[in-house]
Amino acid sequence: MKKIAILVLTVFLAISCNTQSGQITNPKDYAAYLEIKDNKSRAFAQSEINFWQKKYNAAPNQISYLSLLASNYSNLFENTGNVKYLYKAEELLLKSNKAYNYTSVGTIRSLARNYISQHRFREALALANKALKIGEGMKETQKLLFDVNMELGNYTQAEKNLSSLNDSTDFDYLIRISKWNDHLGDLKTAISFMEKAKAKAIVNENKSLKTWTFSNLGDLYGHDGNIQTSYEYYLKTLALEPNNSYALKGIAWIAFSYEKNTKEANRIIDSISKRHHTPDFYLLRAQIAEFEGNGTLKDKNLTAYFAMLKAINYGAMYNKYTTLIYADDKKSASKALEIAKIEINHRPTPDSYDLLAWSYYNLGDIKKALEIAQKFVVGKSFEPKLNYHLATIYKANNMENEIAPIKQELLKSTFELNFKL
């Protein structure tokens, strides 16, 4: 999810360069996916839970059933967005790990991945290192370590984890080397590796891996400016998984950011948010409302976003987005600063330090913002959002010469800089 405010790149970026877009989406292509009343994936996960719960109730000494239950609760979370399922999976995995006295590396890794979903990255790293110390299933543990180290901004260590895998025939390696190249700003190479991963998923006739790679290719091609191919991959995703809300959000983003068709974007969002109800939909609606100049509707959606966060405990999962909302209002920028500091403790990445720098900028401390950005952000990330913030901070500090190279990158990123959720 990305920043809520429409980014007017003021002095140097003409938003109009993206308003003369061609038509990419066709409502007929995805109409059937908006009208689906049943959810086979959710129903299957629930039936599996019912089955394994009965088995466990009959034989509570069979600890392996707990992991099977947890896996299906995690699937329900992915399918519905309901965080209670993620917490239920955690509860079951804690019980399982306690029963095994934290000696089962598979169960330890499962709990670590649950913590990654909750943005409890340091706890996830501690568990990954515990699994590493036990020594079994080292390849799988190295994959986990790469994932969590990337989340924490431990890029040197993540690269070492990746090097230990180094198998171009392995699907899991391919998707991680793709992520690594995306991190380095080499989208072409990232796409190439993801395409290779896709080919392996197809050869192996693995539906879940095909769905995963198709949706990720939709993202990567969109970031690379190939909107037509991005759209086609989202459609391929939906053909495999008709209830895939991620792909539908991708299409809604194309309708909004590329085609400027806010009515269609809202129609898609309204449909999928009924079955996958999460706070980010309010942010996207608010962003569209701001683009339309409807301040009342924007505020209504932001109010609904904060009300949902208050009603449901999401932990640190939405700290980043809340910080960006607060930072854009001088009255609440001090709140943004507080949360940004918490985020750095959770995950000291360039992204988190960008939140801190941006908060100081919006509080009027442009020198402090520049100091943080230069030390922790410059040259460490190629994200368009971070480049926009950096250019804004440079301008405030009268460093016009530093803006020129960033401008070129931003001009390539107008699709993404409407700020996809």
Side-chain angles (χ1 to χ4, degrees), residues 67 70 74 86 89-94 97 102 104-132 140-149 151-152:
S67 291
S74 296
L86 185 63
E90 178 197 1
E91 176 190 323
L92 292 164
L93 289 169
L94 283 169
N97 273 296
Y102 285 85
S104 169
V105 292
T107 312
I108 293 170
R109 286 195 299 259
S110 294
L111 182 58
R113 294 208 174 279
N114 181 283
Y115 285 160
I116 289 174
S117 295
Q118 293 187 47
H119 289 205
R120 294 163 63 179
F121 302 114
R122 293 191 184 281
E123 291 170 88
L125 180 60
L127 287 169
N129 283 325
K130 184 184 288 288
L132 184 69
E140 294 303 314
T141 300
Q142 289 291 350
K143 293 170 187 176
L144 171 62
L145 280 164
F146 171 82
D147 296 340
V148 72
N149 277 316
E151 293 289 355
L152 284 166

Side-chain angles (χ1 to χ4, degrees), residues 173-190:
Y173 172 74
L174 289 170
I175 63 174
R176 285 170 175 82
I177 192 70
S178 173
K179 181 173 182 177
W180 178 253
N181 279 279
D182 189 21
H183 158 70
L184 295 177
D186 188 351
L187 265 176
K188 299 296 183 187
T189 302

Side-chain angles (χ1 to χ4, degrees), residues 1-4 119 283 305 315-327 336 339-340 343 346-347 349 351-352 354-355 383 385-386 420:
M1 286 182 284
K2 303 219 178 143
K3 183 172 179 288
I4 184 65
H119 289 205
L283 297 184
Y305 165 79
M317 295 168 69
Y318 285 86
N319 278 0
K320 170 182 173 181
Y321 323 116
T322 299
T323 304
L324 287 166
I325 295 169
Y326 282 146
I339 302 173
E343 272 298 279
H346 285 163
R347 55 195 310 194
T349 61
D351 217 55
S352 295
D354 169 69
L355 293 178
E383 284 288 320
K385 170 177 61 66
L386 273 64
K420 185 176 180 180

Side-chain angles (χ1 to χ4, degrees), residues 49-78:
I49 287 170
N50 295 340
F51 175 79
W52 291 111
Q53 187 64 57
K54 287 179 182 177
K55 296 273 284 183
Y56 179 71
N57 291 344
N61 61 316
Q62 295 297 316
I63 306 303
S64 61
Y65 295 160
L66 293 173
S67 291
L68 292 166
L69 281 165
S71 176
N72 282 287
Y73 275 111
S74 296
N75 289 340
L76 278 183
F77 166 68
E78 293 294 333

Side-chain angles (χ1 to χ4, degrees), residues 346-408:
H346 285 163
R347 55 195 310 194
T349 61
D351 217 55
S352 295
Y353 278 105
D354 169 69
L355 293 178
L356 186 66
W358 192 240
S359 298
Y360 275 117
Y361 166 80
N362 283 286
L363 282 167
D365 194 342
I366 60 174
K367 296 299 181 185
K368 184 70 171 177
L370 178 64
E371 177 189 342
I372 293 167
Q374 288 183 319
K375 186 174 181 179
F376 297 106
V377 180
V378 176
K380 295 179 172 62
S381 174
F382 296 90
E383 284 288 320
K385 170 177 61 66
L386 273 64
N387 274 335
Y388 163 71
H389 289 168
L390 186 58
T392 306
I393 292 168
Y394 278 152
K395 177 173 172 52
N397 284 277
N398 297 314
M399 299 171 65
E400 302 292 338
N401 291 337
E402 303 294 333
I403 295 175
I406 300 175
K407 172 184 176 181
Q408 297 306 314

Side-chain angles (χ1 to χ4, degrees), residues 298-314:
K298 173 194 168 184
D299 290 343
K300 179 181 178 181
N301 279 290
L302 287 180
T303 298
Y305 165 79
F306 283 111
M308 193 169 182
L309 292 189
K310 185 176 181 180
I312 301 172
N313 175 25
Y314 285 98

